[in-house]
């Protein structure tokens, strides 16, 4: 990863950690107040866990003062627990004084950060998808957020879980290539979770890496003997984590192929596209050889999935790749960019020449009958075209231009080809999203990710607050969980969609419920889309864009 990218990730993670630590300090103050006359074993463990998390996370983020305090108190409390000694009033008073000192320190850090405006990620940032699936299991939201952002930047699809009990269920759904496990977690610990994973034959291909503040030799040996592929101790360096993951994955032929080809369609991968477009841009800078790209998106793809099933949808993807691959030149190359989106890279080709090629392909594919569900259907696509016209342009900017042209084609009625020009504006960002979920981890991760790419984000933790915010803020899209503390998500959906000025609000349901009957209920209640947990951020971003452009 680039140093600038790492710096930005670290700054974001530091802010999240400081906010989280403030919340934890409030809980510690209440706990210590209730423990004036002595602590139970459970309370002692809670206090010890506070310093354990602070030690491991602060050290990783370069907050050395907090890391040193955490390490000293974690060691002291571990000795007390191992000796079976109760915390007396003197020790509790020392802890309370330390907590107040930490509180003052993080107040200073908050003020210091207000004076610094975070810069945006560098222009060379490319979100490369489909490099592999990673499941992160840790009860520390700061570590989850830091790694989720870093891994997504590097092109991995990332799933997160903050408790070990839910993680085992999530594995069967996400089918990750790598599982990164903390050891000290509520419920079952990381060692126990690894033992459960290893007895399931269909999980034998999954790699497990421990990521823990427990760094002594005996613990590392124990983890490796249980079947872990690697063991990384906190504090860690992001680049080291990236290298360890790639080293583990490179042992498999499947990963080597995945770097080049999409699993489902056998088109080239998004990762390979990011390499190829860099090469073409460098060639353009050296000798002025132009090239163009076409951004292709299948029209009404969701209807195919809903009406005929996901297997039919997969078949349509395979058919469009087969058709395009057969009808483009040998020097052109086809890449699956994500979901039902594809890019064709055409070297030594102007935008007008590209238009002629792509429009011919569009018309030809629209005439092709595709057999699905005992019948045949016709499928169309919309395409946007962009050409290199400045030596300062980046791959990300060129893709963005082609993407804008493609959305212009959608707005003009679909099944057409549009060439990008600098006057083209597609107002998708600057939109307001309302996130409705009672899970703090999910809310914060979604808020930060969606804010970073340009959306205005507001949040609600229950149904009644969500309805009030819809009335007051008029969001463009509501992203809604089904299970809320005060009101069923379906009822929230019905109330928003029942009529009046709110009924045009777009709603995406984001839920762990994945039965067809649950999805049908959500859509019947008025939802515009339904996405099941676990999900990838790339897919969610695509769904948001889709409902905005309906």
């Amino acid at each position: 990863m680039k140093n600038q990218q790492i710096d930005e990730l670290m700054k974001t993670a530091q802010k999240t950690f400081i906010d989280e630590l403030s919340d934890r300090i409030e809980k510690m103050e209440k706990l210590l107040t209730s423990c004036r006359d002595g602590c139970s074993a459970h309370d002692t463990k809670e206090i010890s866990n506070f310093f354990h998390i602070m030690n491991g996370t602060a050290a990783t983020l370069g907050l050395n003062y907090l890391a040193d305090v955490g390490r000293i108190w974690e060691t002291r409390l571990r000795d007390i627990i191992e000796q079976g000694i109760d915390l007396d009033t003197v020790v509790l008073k020392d802890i309370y004084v330390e907590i107040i000192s930490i509180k003052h320190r993080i107040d200073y850090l908050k003020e210091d950060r207000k004076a610094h405006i975070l810069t945006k990620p560098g222009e060379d940032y490319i979100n490369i998808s489909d490099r592999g699936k990673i499941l992160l299991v840790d009860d520390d939201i700061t570590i989850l957020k830091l790694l989720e952002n870093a891994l997504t930047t590097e092109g991995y699809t990332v799933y997160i879980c903050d408790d070990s009990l839910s993680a085992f269920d999530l594995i069967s759904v996400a089918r990750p290539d790598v599982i990164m496990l903390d050891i000290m977690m509520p419920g079952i610990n990381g060692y126990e979770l690894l033992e459960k994973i290893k007895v399931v034959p269909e999980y034998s291909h999954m790699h497990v890496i421990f990521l823990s503040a427990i760094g002594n030799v005996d613990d590392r040996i124990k983890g490796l003997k249980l079947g872990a592929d690697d063991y990384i101790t906190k504090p860690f360096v992001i680049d080291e984590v990236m290298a360890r993951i790639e080293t583990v994955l490179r042992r498999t032929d499947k990963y080597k192929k995945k770097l080049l080809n999409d699993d489902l369609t056998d088109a080239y991968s998004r990762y390979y596209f990011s390499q190829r477009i860099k090469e073409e841009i460098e060639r353009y800078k050296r000798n002025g050889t132009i090239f163009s790209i076409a951004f292709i998106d299948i029209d009404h793809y969701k209807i195919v999935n809903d009406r005929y099933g996901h297997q039919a949808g997969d078949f349509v993807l395979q058919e469009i790749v087969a058709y395009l691959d057969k009808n483009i030149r040998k020097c052109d190359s086809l890449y699956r960019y994500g979901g039902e989106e594809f890019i064709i890279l055409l070297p030594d080709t102007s935008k007008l020449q590209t238009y002629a090629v792509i429009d011919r392909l569009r018309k030809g594919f629209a005439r092709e009958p595709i057999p699905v569900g005992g019948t045949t259907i016709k499928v169309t696509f919309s395409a946007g075209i962009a050409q290199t016209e400045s030596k300062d342009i980046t791959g990300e900017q060129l893709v963005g231009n082609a993407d804008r042209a493609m959305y212009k084609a959608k707005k003009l009625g679909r099944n057409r080809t549009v060439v990008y020009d600098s006057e083209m504006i597609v107002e998708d960002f600057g939109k307001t999203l309302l996130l409705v979920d009672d899970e703090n981890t999910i809310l914060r991760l979604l808020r930060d990710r969606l804010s970073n790419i340009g959306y205005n984000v507001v949040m609600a933790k229950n149904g009644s607050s969500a309805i009030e915010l819809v009335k007051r803020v008029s969001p463009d899209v509501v992203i809604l969980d089904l299970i809320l503390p005060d009101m069923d998500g379906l009822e929230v959906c019905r109330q928003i969609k029942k009529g009046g000025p709110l009924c045009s609000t777009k709603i995406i349901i984001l839920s762990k419920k994945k039965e067809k009957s649950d999805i049908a209920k959500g859509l019947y209640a008025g939802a515009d889309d339904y996405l099941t947990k676990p999900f990838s951020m790339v897919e969610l971003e695509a769904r948001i864009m889709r409902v905005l452009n309906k």
Side-chain angles (χ1 to χ4, degrees):
M1 294 183 72
K2 303 278 187 184
N3 289 336
Q4 183 184 0
Q5 290 175 339
I6 293 174
D7 289 345
E8 295 304 327
L9 291 171
M10 291 294 279
K11 287 176 185 177
T12 303
Q14 285 174 355
K15 181 181 182 302
T16 301
F17 174 67
I18 289 167
D19 291 342
E20 282 290 304
L21 192 57
S22 297
D23 294 341
R24 291 178 187 275
I25 284 173
E26 284 186 23
K27 293 176 183 176
M28 280 297 105
E29 286 183 289
K30 292 177 182 176
L31 177 60
L32 290 168
T33 301
S34 67
C35 291
R36 285 177 179 170
D37 298 325
C39 272
S40 66
H42 178 268
D43 292 337
T44 302
K45 192 171 181 180
E46 284 289 306
I47 297 169
S48 177
N49 192 51
F50 168 82
F51 289 109
H52 165 74
I53 290 174
M54 192 170 81
N55 171 25
T57 306
T60 296
L61 301 179
L63 302 171
N64 296 329
Y65 166 78
L66 296 175
D68 289 342
V69 171
R71 186 182 67 257
I72 291 166
W73 273 103
E74 182 187 4
T75 303
R76 186 174 173 185
L77 289 168
R78 184 170 62 239
D79 292 340
I80 290 172
I81 291 169
E82 287 176 354
Q83 294 172 32
I85 302 172
D86 293 332
L87 295 183
D88 58 29
T89 53
V90 175
V91 175
L92 287 170
K93 185 177 179 181
D94 288 345
I95 293 172
Y96 187 79
V97 170
E98 196 71 81
I99 293 289
I100 298 302
S101 175
I102 295 168
K103 187 175 182 179
H104 290 318
R105 180 72 177 189
I106 64 173
D107 285 342
Y108 165 77
L109 288 172
K110 284 181 179 179
E111 290 301 317
D112 185 51
R113 272 158 180 73
K114 285 180 183 177
H116 296 82
I117 300 173
L118 293 178
T119 58
K120 293 182 178 179
E123 286 187 350
D124 55 356
Y125 170 83
I126 298 177
N127 185 358
I128 310 161
S129 71
D130 201 30
R131 197 170 179 180
K133 293 188 287 187
I134 312 288
L135 172 61
L136 305 175
V137 188
D138 200 310
D139 60 340
D140 185 342
I141 187 175
T142 305
I143 293 296
L144 283 176
K145 179 173 177 50
L146 175 64
L147 289 174
E148 193 266 348
N149 286 338
L151 288 163
T152 302
T153 300
E154 286 296 292
Y156 296 99
T157 299
V158 182
Y159 302 93
I160 60 168
C161 189
D162 59 3
D163 75 275
S164 51
L165 292 172
S166 299
F168 192 72
D169 295 330
L170 186 54
I171 290 168
S172 66
V173 178
R175 298 284 172 163
D177 300 297
V178 176
I179 303 165
M180 300 197 73
L181 281 179
D182 190 16
I183 291 176
M184 291 184 64
M185 291 182 290
I188 62 174
N189 63 39
Y191 294 135
E192 293 167 329
L193 180 55
L194 175 59
E195 288 178 322
K196 289 184 68 175
I197 292 168
K198 289 297 179 182
V199 298
V200 181
E202 50 266 44
Y203 297 167
S204 60
H205 69 285
M206 297 178 186
H207 300 285
V208 176
I209 299 175
F210 276 125
L211 187 66
S212 177
I214 303 175
N216 61 60
V217 174
D218 289 341
D219 286 300
R220 290 202 297 272
I221 291 172
K222 181 178 178 181
L224 295 171
K225 280 186 173 180
L226 286 172
D229 294 88
D230 207 343
Y231 193 114
I232 303 172
T233 55
K234 300 176 185 176
F236 57 82
V237 178
I238 292 177
D239 276 344
E240 180 189 2
V241 174
M242 299 299 122
R244 297 281 191 99
I245 291 172
E246 186 147 340
T247 299
V248 165
L249 283 172
R250 283 190 184 279
R251 297 170 191 166
T252 65
D253 292 334
K254 178 184 174 184
Y255 176 70
K256 294 174 184 175
K257 186 176 186 300
K258 184 173 286 188
L259 287 175
L260 293 178
N261 294 89
D262 171 60
D263 287 340
L264 175 65
T265 65
D266 209 36
Y268 287 127
S269 68
R270 183 169 174 174
Y271 170 77
Y272 186 44
F273 170 75
S274 73
Q275 308 307 308
R276 284 287 295 114
I277 198 168
K278 286 177 186 175
E279 293 171 3
E280 289 298 325
I281 287 174
E282 285 305 312
R283 193 161 72 101
Y284 174 67
K285 288 178 179 178
R286 283 196 310 272
N287 55 31
T289 305
I290 62 168
F291 71 93
S292 298
I293 63 171
F295 197 110
I296 291 170
D297 186 279
I298 298 175
D299 297 326
H300 302 296
Y301 180 70
K302 182 178 180 296
I303 294 175
V304 175
N305 270 333
D306 292 345
R307 186 173 297 171
Y308 301 104
H310 288 281
Q311 285 187 331
D314 289 347
F315 183 69
V316 168
L317 297 178
Q318 292 166 341
E319 286 291 290
I320 191 172
V321 166
Y323 178 84
L324 294 173
D325 199 45
K326 183 174 69 174
N327 289 283
I328 58 177
R329 302 172 301 179
K330 288 184 178 179
C331 64
D332 301 332
S333 46
L334 172 64
Y335 307 84
R336 187 179 180 194
Y337 197 70
E340 67 272 28
E341 297 171 336
F342 299 89
I343 289 179
I344 299 176
L345 190 155
L346 301 95
D348 305 316
T349 310
S350 72
K351 57 188 178 184
L352 294 180
Q353 291 170 323
T354 301
Y355 176 86
V357 171
I358 300 303
D359 213 48
R360 171 177 56 80
L361 293 173
R362 177 187 64 80
K363 291 174 181 175
F365 184 68
R367 293 192 294 267
E368 290 283 313
I370 299 176
V372 294
T375 185
T376 58
I377 61 172
K378 299 288 183 68
V379 176
T380 63
F381 64 76
S382 300
I385 291 165
Q387 174 192 317
T388 45
E389 295 180 306
S390 164
K391 293 194 176 182
D392 295 327
I393 199 164
T394 65
E396 185 180 36
Q397 290 168 338
L398 191 63
V399 171
N401 291 346
D403 190 33
R404 290 184 187 93
M406 184 274 292
Y407 274 110
K408 182 72 171 179
K410 295 281 189 185
K411 287 178 178 291
L412 292 172
R414 297 180 172 83
N415 190 21
R416 62 192 66 212
T417 307
V418 171
V419 177
Y420 172 79
D421 68 71
S422 57
E423 303 299 317
M424 188 174 292
I425 300 174
V426 179
E427 298 178 353
D428 287 318
F429 295 115
K431 301 289 187 180
T432 298
L433 309 181
L434 170 59
L435 309 179
V436 189
D437 201 313
D438 62 338
E439 292 184 37
N440 282 330
T441 302
I442 296 294
L443 271 180
R444 292 185 183 191
L445 288 171
L446 290 178
R447 176 198 64 192
D448 293 345
R449 177 62 179 269
L450 295 170
S451 297
N452 285 341
I453 62 173
Y455 290 110
N456 304 311
V457 179
V458 291
M459 301 188 298
K461 291 186 179 180
N462 57 59
S464 53
S465 298
I467 292 168
E468 287 303 312
L469 277 170
V470 170
K471 293 175 182 176
R472 194 165 74 241
V473 178
S474 299
D476 298 282
V477 180
V478 178
I479 300 173
L480 174 67
D481 191 17
L482 281 184
I483 302 174
L484 298 169
D486 65 333
M487 186 186 303
D488 181 72
L490 294 175
E491 181 57 31
V492 176
C493 191
R494 290 188 196 100
Q495 290 203 29
I496 293 172
K497 292 286 192 175
K498 68 182 179 182
L502 304 182
C503 66
S504 61
T505 305
K506 306 294 186 184
I507 298 177
I508 300 174
I509 289 177
L510 194 62
S511 176
K512 291 178 181 176
K513 294 185 175 182
K514 50 181 63 69
E515 296 295 328
K516 287 184 178 180
S517 58
D518 294 314
I519 296 172
K521 286 177 184 176
L523 297 176
Y524 185 74
D528 297 88
D529 205 346
Y530 192 113
L531 185 60
T532 58
K533 298 178 183 178
F535 60 91
S536 74
M537 286 302 305
V538 172
E539 183 178 6
L540 178 59
E541 289 166 23
R543 298 287 186 100
I544 293 169
M545 293 285 279
R546 196 170 298 137
V547 298
L548 282 170
N549 282 280
K550 276 187 176 178

